[in-house]
Amino acid sequence: MSMSMSKQNVLVFALLMFAMLLPPIQSLKLKAGNWGKTFQKKNQEKETNLQFYFHDTLSGKNPSAVKIAEPLDKTKSYATQFGNIFMADDPLTETYDPKSKLVGRAQGIYALSCQQEIGLLMSLSYSFVDGPYNGSTFTLVGKNSAINPVREMSIVGGTGLFRMARGYAIAKTHWLDITTGDAIVGYNVTLIH
Ligand SMILES: *[C@@H]1O[C@H](CO)[C@@H](O)[C@H](O)[C@H]1NC(C)=O
Ligand SMILES: *[C@@H]1O[C@H](CO)[C@@H](O)[C@H](O)[C@H]1NC(C)=O
């Protein structure tokens, strides 16, 4: 009898050790259409994955981004547009189609910050209007090597559901008109909050 008890104890102990080695169970907390999901591992922070498209339009009568400053001294010009600054209020949609569902807006400044390449300093707030993310924002700051097909930028904070967020955005150019600069960019965002 006492022999079988101790065998049982060994078995329970072994099972406990095994359970501790398993990854914590991740549960789905929130979902927005096909563009947003929030998970939480047991006793850990939440993770949100967002996929959306950013539409930056410089051309036409109603551009979503406008130049607000440029170098004062026109004799010093850079092929990379170094020194130009733009203000943007760009729609974010669920698919690459500009007429697809509006999920938010990217608002703020991007500035041509590189002498040797076309590179932007991004300083933008991404505000969402759809589903459980309605009213929440995150702040993206960092270098955007806009000519690279894929680039990564840092997310340094957030509000609402994304309060205390940190994370990264992988941005991939979906479409670019080199003459006007108009672009549609796919974003894959990972946030921990
Ligand atoms: C988002 O929130 C605003 C303000 O609370 C509300 O007026 C609007 O209807 C909401 N939109 C959606 C899509 O839930
Ligand atoms: C996000 O990443 C997934 C997996 O690599 C990819 O299938 C999807 O097209 C990406 N979404 C966007 C908006 O770029």
Side-chain angles (χ1 to χ4, degrees):
M1 182 65 183
S2 71
M3 188 65 187
S4 83
M5 273 303 286
S6 82
K7 266 191 190 161
Q8 256 179 25
N9 286 345
V10 168
L11 190 66
V12 167
F13 181 71
L15 279 172
L16 272 173
M17 292 303 288
F18 181 69
M20 282 167 73
L21 292 174
L22 289 174
I25 293 159
Q26 193 166 256
S27 61
L28 182 63
K29 293 282 175 191
L30 297 166
K31 196 169 183 303
N34 284 323
W35 74 275
K37 278 191 194 114
T38 299
F39 294 92
Q40 188 166 29
K41 286 181 188 167
K42 206 166 182 290
N43 302 326
Q44 287 186 19
E45 291 172 297
K46 292 186 201 71
E47 177 175 326
T48 295
N49 300 113
L50 305 175
Q51 289 186 31
F52 54 79
Y53 288 82
F54 168 102
H55 302 263
D56 192 46
T57 309
L58 299 160
S59 68
K61 275 194 178 154
N62 291 301
S64 65
V66 292
K67 191 194 279 188
I68 55 168
E70 60 185 356
L72 296 178
D73 184 349
K74 297 285 185 305
T75 64
K76 297 185 180 65
S77 77
Y78 291 85
T80 60
Q81 294 189 52
F82 177 62
N84 288 306
I85 304 179
F86 291 80
M87 183 70 78
D89 182 351
D90 287 346
L92 308 172
T93 60
E94 192 165 21
T95 75
Y96 57 77
D97 180 352
K99 293 189 192 77
S100 67
K101 189 204 248 179
L102 182 81
V103 301
R105 307 192 76 85
Q107 294 158 321
I109 286 171
Y110 60 81
L112 279 292
S113 59
C114 302
Q115 296 184 53
Q116 318 285 347
E117 60 167 311
I118 298 190
L120 312 168
L121 167 66
M122 305 281 278
S123 177
L124 295 146
S125 172
Y126 289 65
S127 312
F128 297 92
V129 295
D130 188 45
Y133 308 112
N134 186 14
S136 296
T137 75
F138 66 73
T139 301
L140 179 147
V141 177
K143 178 176 170 180
N144 182 359
S145 299
I147 292 305
N148 291 1
V150 182
R151 54 272 179 202
E152 178 175 343
M153 292 167 283
S154 50
I155 290 162
V156 298
T159 68
L161 192 76
F162 304 140
R163 197 180 273 181
M164 303 291 279
R166 61 202 187 282
Y168 60 94
I170 305 288
K172 197 172 174 182
T173 303
H174 174 75
W175 172 83
L176 171 69
D177 181 331
I178 302 171
T179 49
T180 61
D182 292 356
I184 299 175
V185 182
Y187 272 67
N188 252 316
V189 170
T190 302
L191 295 172
I192 304 290
H193 52 96

